[in-house]
Amino acid sequence: MEEKKQIEFPAVPRRRVLLQWCPLLFMFVIFANARAFDYRDALTKSLLYFESQRSGRLPHNQRVTWRDHSGLIDGLEQGVDLVGGYYDAGDHVKFGLPMAFTITMLSWSVIEYGKQIAAAGEYEHALEAIKWGTDYFIKAHTNPHVLWGEVGDGDTDHYCWQRPEDMTTSRQAYKIDEKNPGSDLAGETAAAMAAASIVFRKSNPHYSHLLLHHAQQLFEFGDKYRGSYDSSIGAVKTYYSSVSGYKDELLWAAVWLYQATDNKDYLKYVIDKAHCFGGISWAITEFSWDVKYAGVQIIASKLLMESRHTVTEHAHILGQYRSKAEHYLCACLNKTTVENVDRTPGGLLYIRQWNNMQYVSTAAFLLTVYSDYLQRYSDQKLNCPGGEVGPREILDFAISQVDYILGSNPMGMSYLVGYGPKYPRRVHHRGASIVSYRESKGFIGCTQGYDNWYGRDEANPNVLVGALVGGPDCQDNFRDRRSNFMQTEACTYNTAPLVGLFAKYHQLQSGVQNLSNTPSPLIASY
């Protein structure tokens, strides 16, 4: 994708007069041939997706009507109530680590852009999406040093193609404890509950306090009994193995707990462990459910920019965190000299073949919030080896990534399901690909779904609205086939960062509209 350039008109006096007196005409000339995106509609759809992924007994206000109750005996064999939570993707296993990261990112979206989400009329739905996850984490944290981290078994689950309402696969539950530690799982769940406690602080202070209590216990547990959770829960290794280890999650939990409590002990942890835990020694070019370093570094940078009295004594270490954060951002912007993130010919950030869009949505989120931090706290620019980058240029690039997702790409396809006229119709998702349980309650067996539904050429009978699929390959090509799970499967942590971005961009869009009182949204052109 070519770099966007400012359109310059020749110095014709009459046109200059028109442009001086008719700014609306100027905007019309620029936007006339470009493509507009309705970020508010995208925001609404993104929050609907989390209702599609709900496990447990669905509430009366459930808006995704092709889903019904499921997983109602989860935890029964172990004598614990583990009903609820989210299925992470197109299968029916409840994986604790990616689920917790999903809730952390949803909470961060609300913390940064809650006013914009509220202005778009989606604030309550955002809080419901968060609470559906945190309610489950409260259940799963049955003891200060016990956390249930998985329900279901990936191997048996993938053998079957069934609706969640028909599940016949194993609902074995797995936990971490003192003898079987999982610092990464405990740390990410602590981060999620700490971040959510900030979200609910005003609207539900009792619930906020409860979440913070669990977050503090989980952090203490994860820090005291150290180890990677995939060594304790062997069933997760094939699916969500913790490649980065647990040190990034402990830093991540500590920085969120500091923001939630203002307790200097958590800040001291982030400072003292900065080097030995990799916070200032790892230069990372991805941010994901597994690798949290870039997120830690971005928040540490914000703490430095705030210049609060409590952090000034740690300015040197926080400055090193900021240096690593800026390495990540510069790599995304292709402004480093050694390790830029690859891009497709169409301009999409490209990390790896499988479910690449997860890295795009998280990168767009970090770029956007850092752009905001630069403007809010320091009025500075990002200093990259390839040159200075201003907040607006950072934001423009983030918007270009989201606009690619929504349809500004060589395929002319929206990778957010249900948005726009062209989007994936054969998403790799059991529930969406089989006739709704609400329409046909006849039992569909384990392999019956493969026989009658999986291989069909027809579009899915249920639209998985708001799901961000894995996306195109390194050449911008996309094959809309149910069997093409690398590209057509969606995950909760893909969509979660977009919630805040859609709200933020809708606000920018509304700013233009308010100037003109006409529908002239911010435009992305391919």
Side-chain angles (χ1 to χ4, degrees), residues 446-519:
C446 174
T447 58
Q448 188 179 351
Y450 276 116
D451 295 339
N452 299 337
W453 296 95
Y454 180 76
R456 286 160 48 104
D457 289 333
E458 291 84 358
N460 289 349
N462 310 303
V463 180
L464 193 67
V465 173
L468 175 59
V469 297
D473 64 17
C474 61
Q475 294 297 316
D476 299 297
N477 298 313
F478 180 81
R479 200 163 52 91
D480 187 12
R481 292 289 181 270
R482 219 164 279 118
S483 58
N484 182 22
F485 46 82
M486 285 190 181
Q487 293 188 325
T488 63
E489 189 167 23
C491 300
T492 56
Y493 45 86
N494 294 15
T495 296
L498 295 178
V499 170
L501 299 184
F502 289 146
K504 162 76 174 180
Y505 302 165
H506 171 63
Q507 180 202 36
L508 295 175
Q509 210 174 57
S510 300
V512 174
Q513 291 172 352
N514 290 341
L515 287 174
S516 62
N517 293 318
T518 58

Side-chain angles (χ1 to χ4, degrees), residues 284-514:
I284 299 295
T285 55
E286 74 170 71
F287 177 52
S288 67
W289 61 264
D290 182 22
V291 188
K292 314 296 161 48
Y293 284 115
V296 175
Q297 293 155 359
I298 292 287
I299 294 176
S301 302
K302 183 192 76 166
L303 297 177
L304 181 64
M305 292 180 198
E306 287 176 334
S307 298
R308 293 167 56 186
H309 176 70
T310 53
V311 302
T312 51
E313 61 185 292
H314 305 301
H316 177 65
I317 298 297
L318 291 175
Q320 293 181 63
Y321 271 111
R322 181 174 179 177
S323 175
K324 290 298 184 286
E326 295 194 340
H327 172 84
Y328 169 85
L329 299 166
C330 293
C332 290
L333 294 163
N334 278 195
K335 293 283 188 178
T336 75
T337 54
V338 289
E339 196 181 10
N340 289 318
V341 177
D342 290 337
R343 296 186 191 177
T344 68
L348 184 73
L349 291 171
Y350 194 82
I351 301 292
R352 55 181 56 92
Q353 183 181 18
W354 194 314
N355 189 19
N356 181 64
M357 280 301 188
Q358 64 175 304
Y359 310 108
V360 178
S361 63
T362 53
F365 185 88
L366 292 188
L367 286 158
T368 300
V369 297
Y370 198 81
S371 170
D372 287 345
Y373 296 161
L374 285 176
Q375 287 189 308
R376 186 187 313 163
Y377 297 116
S378 62
D379 196 28
Q380 296 175 6
K381 293 187 176 182
L382 173 63
N383 294 307
C384 297
E388 283 190 340
V389 188
R392 183 68 222 193
E393 187 178 346
I394 298 171
L395 178 62
D396 285 344
F397 179 70
I399 292 173
S400 77
Q401 297 301 294
V402 173
D403 287 349
Y404 185 110
I405 288 170
L406 294 181
S408 184
N409 57 64
M411 296 288 290
M413 171 175 282
S414 164
Y415 294 105
L416 190 79
V417 179
Y419 178 89
K422 183 181 179 183
Y423 53 83
R425 307 281 175 165
R426 300 166 188 84
V427 181
H428 182 91
H429 189 277
R430 288 157 175 75
S433 67
I434 302 175
V435 63
S436 169
Y437 182 81
R438 296 283 182 97
E439 292 182 27
S440 176
K441 290 183 170 55
F443 176 74
I444 295 175
C446 174
T447 58
Q448 188 179 351
Y450 276 116
D451 295 339
N452 299 337
W453 296 95
Y454 180 76
R456 286 160 48 104
D457 289 333
E458 291 84 358
N460 289 349
N462 310 303
V463 180
L464 193 67
V465 173
L468 175 59
V469 297
D473 64 17
C474 61
Q475 294 297 316
D476 299 297
N477 298 313
F478 180 81
R479 200 163 52 91
D480 187 12
R481 292 289 181 270
R482 219 164 279 118
S483 58
N484 182 22
F485 46 82
M486 285 190 181
Q487 293 188 325
T488 63
E489 189 167 23
C491 300
T492 56
Y493 45 86
N494 294 15
T495 296
L498 295 178
V499 170
L501 299 184
F502 289 146
K504 162 76 174 180
Y505 302 165
H506 171 63
Q507 180 202 36
L508 295 175
Q509 210 174 57
S510 300
V512 174
Q513 291 172 352
N514 290 341

Side-chain angles (χ1 to χ4, degrees), residues 147 176 182-191 215 218-219 221-223 229 249-250 253:
L147 176 65
I176 56 172
S183 302
D184 29 25
L185 175 61
E188 183 59 63
T189 311
L218 282 166
F219 175 73
F221 165 46
D223 188 43
Y229 90 118
E249 275 86 9
L250 289 177

